[in-house]
Amino acid sequence: MLGNQSARAPLASAEADTHTTPTATQESVGPGLRRAVGIWGSYTWGYADVGADVYVALGIVMAAAQGATNVAFLFAGLVYVMVGLAYTELAAAYPMAGGGQFYVLRGLGDFWGFVAGWAVLLDFTIDISLFALASAGYINFFVPVLNTRVDLHLGGLTLPGVQPWLILEATIFVVLLTILNIIGVRESSRFNELLGALDVISESTILFFGFLFAFDPQLLLRQMTQSWPNPYHLAYGASLAIISFVGLESISQASQETIRPGKVVPRTSLALILTVLIYALAFSNLGLAMLPWQSFAEHNGDPIAWLASHIPFLGLVAGPYVALLGATLVLISSNAGVFGSSRITYSMARYDLLPRQLARVHPKFRTPVRTLVIFSGFALLELWLAGLSPNAYDVLGNMYAFGAATAYILVFISLLVLRFVDPWTPRPFKVPLNIRFRGKDGESRLLPVVGILGLLGISSMLVMVVLTHAIGRLAGPGWLLLGLLVYVWHRKRSGLPIFGSVPRDWPAEQLAVYADAEEYDLVEELRENLARQRHLAGEEPRAPLAAPPTRVVSIPLSPQESRSNGRRTTTMAREEEQRREG
């Protein structure tokens, strides 16, 4: 069921007054989300979830890809660039909460929209637990005793090498971040903005002095030639490297709370793509050129601090500083996971993919409290289960790529479908390299070549995950099965089709969201496109939609301006009287 009948329906229904006419997607569920995220906030929401990920991924990928760690990051990075471009186009065109889940819903219908959303939820809940765990690991750089391993006895079962204090620290972090996000997105965004700026400066400084004082090209070449992994480990490392690049969802998740998203989202997304790609490739090459890959595998809890502590002249100070910074940065990545999971479920509930009660917004804090509590609870459960193993990082990372690859495949398919079934929506940014086709209605359609390449790249990543991730290929499908059971139960109870889609007035909702975001140029462009579509379809012309409300601002004038304005008014009145007499 790759066809979304509601997306293909005529768009003439958009002539209804978007501010007064309820639709299937605009049913009242209480107050809406607050627009409080600006351009720097939008960037740091994405950077919080992507930029800090190398603090966790470097050690895990080194243990798998060994001397080919930089190649693993390069392959994952190229796929990430194409994913990022697809998300940039879709987020600017459809600035609604929900991210990839919403784009798949628009392009492929309710069932596949749910699958995409539930797959991304797996990532976000693991994001919460994995990066809270990593934050605790960096803090324990100062207190190594908290990394103590014990043998846990449960009944007749012995679990060796468990780290109870590490898991307890991570649990506390998850609870605190949930409370922070309940208080409000503005407070959570400010938290990210401050630390995001600090991280950009700090990572750049580490790389500068690392390449200046410690880069050894001979060690880099020796490790790449003598420690090149077998194909299995290279594929496993490349699939784990995607951890460094999962997080563009955060910008699109916040688009409905972003000021002027049509202009802000493309700028912040492109800046984020470039920043993160450079950092990931730089750290992987610097790591191979400074220390044996085995040492990073042994320090998978604090790999960047381990690297920084070995920079000549600065290591004594840089190591502890980076450990403290890393603890804070991966904590904001966990914070972005709390935010993202709540916004996806908020969107899914609004569109009847999950029970409507999950879309309720707290009247005081204006945040989706129920979804925050429920999915932070899922994150805690994943954390505790992974904590029963001797390497909780690897267990959580094992499942991480499955959800990302599954959701991204559906997002790429939706990008291609929406270019053909919904060419009328304004696209402030388009994925480059397009092939032009002419549709049956005489209008041009653009087929994005990058979208096709990205679909092939992320599909190969999913194949790697299935072949190399023993836990991921079991836990990932298990998570999807759990979600489908919830979906079927909810749709049957609500009398909604399981594989079909609920009819929705997408243009009306888009116009309302554009107007709320003060994107009046997009409002006018969409109205003109809809009128052209009706003309091409041979429909009778109808009364145009009312223009978006104009905000009147009273600006006080200085005394001199008031006198000048009064003289102009008197002159205009005299001229008008003369014209009437003439």
Side-chain angles (χ1 to χ4, degrees):
M1 289 293 294
L2 294 182
N4 181 358
Q5 297 302 320
S6 62
R8 301 171 193 269
L11 305 183
S13 57
E15 291 185 359
D17 183 353
T18 60
H19 299 286
T20 60
T21 303
T23 70
T25 60
Q26 292 171 305
E27 199 171 293
S28 176
V29 288
L33 297 173
R34 173 195 295 163
R35 288 197 181 274
V37 181
I39 187 167
W40 180 244
S42 176
Y43 175 83
T44 51
W45 267 121
Y47 189 81
D49 205 15
V50 187
D53 292 0
V54 71
Y55 282 79
V56 179
L58 186 62
I60 300 175
V61 177
M62 280 275 193
Q66 303 170 17
T69 296
N70 50 358
V71 176
F73 274 105
L74 177 61
F75 177 76
L78 292 176
V79 175
Y80 154 76
V81 169
M82 292 182 282
V83 171
L85 292 173
Y87 266 89
T88 302
E89 173 176 323
L90 292 168
Y94 306 99
M96 287 82 164
Q101 172 270 323
F102 179 81
Y103 313 143
V104 177
L105 173 67
R106 284 295 304 263
L108 307 182
D110 288 13
F111 178 79
W112 292 109
F114 174 83
V115 172
W118 195 256
V120 173
L121 274 173
L122 173 62
D123 269 3
F124 272 123
T125 54
I126 293 176
D127 197 315
I128 299 169
S129 54
L130 176 61
F131 292 104
L133 184 72
S135 181
Y138 274 98
I139 286 177
N140 294 351
F141 178 90
F142 302 99
V143 193
V145 70
L146 294 178
N147 285 324
T148 301
R149 295 180 180 273
V150 300
D151 293 340
L152 185 64
H153 301 281
L154 294 176
L157 182 65
T158 299
L159 302 172
V162 175
Q163 297 175 282
W165 296 114
L166 183 69
I167 302 302
L168 177 61
E169 291 174 83
T171 299
I172 294 172
F173 289 154
V174 172
V175 173
L176 291 177
L177 290 176
T178 304
I179 295 173
L180 176 65
N181 278 270
I182 288 174
I183 294 174
V185 64
R186 179 177 295 164
E187 291 73 15
S188 190
S189 182
R190 286 174 178 169
F191 179 59
N192 283 357
E193 290 174 17
L194 174 64
L195 294 176
L198 182 63
D199 183 45
V200 170
I201 297 171
S202 301
E203 285 195 23
S204 300
T205 303
I206 294 168
L207 290 172
F208 175 78
F209 287 107
F211 277 102
L212 181 64
F213 294 129
F215 184 78
D216 183 354
Q218 293 183 348
L219 178 60
L220 173 64
L221 292 175
R222 185 164 62 249
Q223 295 208 82
M224 290 186 67
T225 54
Q226 297 179 5
S227 299
W228 191 267
N230 58 40
Y232 176 88
H233 285 95
L234 178 58
Y236 185 60
S239 60
L240 285 174
I242 201 173
I243 292 175
S244 286
F245 304 111
V246 174
L248 279 167
E249 279 278 346
S250 296
I251 291 180
S252 58
Q253 294 301 331
S255 60
Q256 195 166 335
E257 292 159 270
T258 300
I259 302 167
R260 303 301 301 275
K263 295 179 175 60
V264 168
V265 168
R267 296 173 185 174
T268 55
S269 295
L270 295 176
L272 182 66
I273 291 170
L274 182 62
T275 305
V276 173
L277 183 62
I278 291 174
Y279 281 160
L281 294 178
F283 272 111
S284 58
N285 280 282
L286 179 60
L288 287 174
M290 276 185 59
L291 298 165
W293 67 265
Q294 295 90 338
S295 68
F296 286 98
E298 294 170 0
H299 289 80
N300 61 359
D302 54 0
I304 303 297
W306 176 250
L307 182 148
S309 66
H310 287 79
I311 297 177
F313 310 113
L314 300 176
L316 188 63
V317 175
Y321 170 75
V322 172
L324 181 61
L325 179 65
T328 309
L329 290 168
V330 293
L331 188 62
I332 65 174
S333 189
S334 181
N335 182 49
V338 176
F339 173 88
S341 62
S342 67
R343 268 49 180 186
I344 287 181
T345 49
Y346 171 84
S347 175
M348 293 171 73
R350 288 183 66 236
Y351 294 109
D352 290 310
L353 307 183
L354 286 172
R356 279 259 167 175
Q357 289 79 4
L358 295 178
R360 298 288 176 183
V361 173
H362 193 279
K364 177 181 178 181
F365 299 122
R366 301 282 296 276
T367 53
V369 175
R370 294 179 183 179
T371 62
L372 284 166
V373 172
I374 291 173
F375 286 91
S376 293
F378 273 118
L380 287 174
L381 180 61
E382 292 163 354
L383 172 65
W384 296 334
L385 292 176
L388 298 177
S389 75
N391 192 342
Y393 297 99
D394 189 66
V395 171
L396 292 172
N398 224 276
M399 296 186 292
Y400 202 79
F402 179 88
T406 302
Y408 289 167
I409 285 174
L410 294 173
V411 168
F412 274 118
I413 295 173
S414 298
L415 172 71
L416 300 174
V417 170
L418 286 168
R419 281 286 191 95
F420 284 85
V421 303
D422 185 25
W424 316 106
T425 289
R427 287 170 169 80
F429 173 87
K430 289 187 179 70
V431 171
L433 300 178
N434 297 281
I435 300 175
R436 187 176 299 274
F437 289 90
R438 187 166 297 279
K440 295 180 180 179
D441 56 6
E443 289 290 293
S444 295
R445 304 292 195 275
L446 297 176
L447 178 66
V449 175
V450 171
I452 296 175
L453 295 176
L455 178 59
L456 295 175
I458 198 65
S459 298
S460 66
M461 191 73 73
L462 181 60
V463 172
M464 291 180 190
V465 171
V466 173
L467 293 178
T468 62
H469 292 237
I471 297 175
R473 64 171 169 259
L474 295 176
W479 172 267
L480 291 181
L481 179 60
L482 172 64
L484 289 175
L485 291 176
V486 174
Y487 176 77
V488 170
W489 167 79
H490 164 64
R491 300 284 280 201
K492 282 189 173 181
R493 190 189 67 161
S494 304
L496 300 173
I498 295 175
F499 296 104
S501 298
V502 176
R504 300 182 179 93
D505 193 346
W506 292 122
E509 179 166 357
Q510 273 182 242
L511 288 168
V513 170
Y514 289 160
D516 177 65
E518 299 183 3
E519 295 282 6
Y520 297 132
D521 51 342
L522 297 183
V523 171
E524 292 305 319
E525 184 178 349
L526 179 56
R527 292 175 188 276
E528 292 173 1
N529 291 346
L530 295 176
R532 188 169 70 254
Q533 187 211 24
R534 291 193 298 272
H535 174 73
L536 293 171
E539 298 181 14
E540 291 294 327
R542 304 184 184 183
L545 281 164
T550 301
R551 180 174 297 175
V552 178
V553 181
S554 178
I555 302 176
L557 301 176
S558 65
Q560 182 178 358
E561 291 173 322
S562 299
R563 289 191 297 270
S564 176
N565 186 57
R567 287 193 296 270
R568 286 196 300 268
T569 303
T570 302
T571 301
M572 292 172 62
R574 187 179 300 113
E575 292 175 350
E576 178 64 23
E577 183 178 356
Q578 291 173 353
R579 280 196 297 271
R580 286 199 301 269
E581 292 176 353

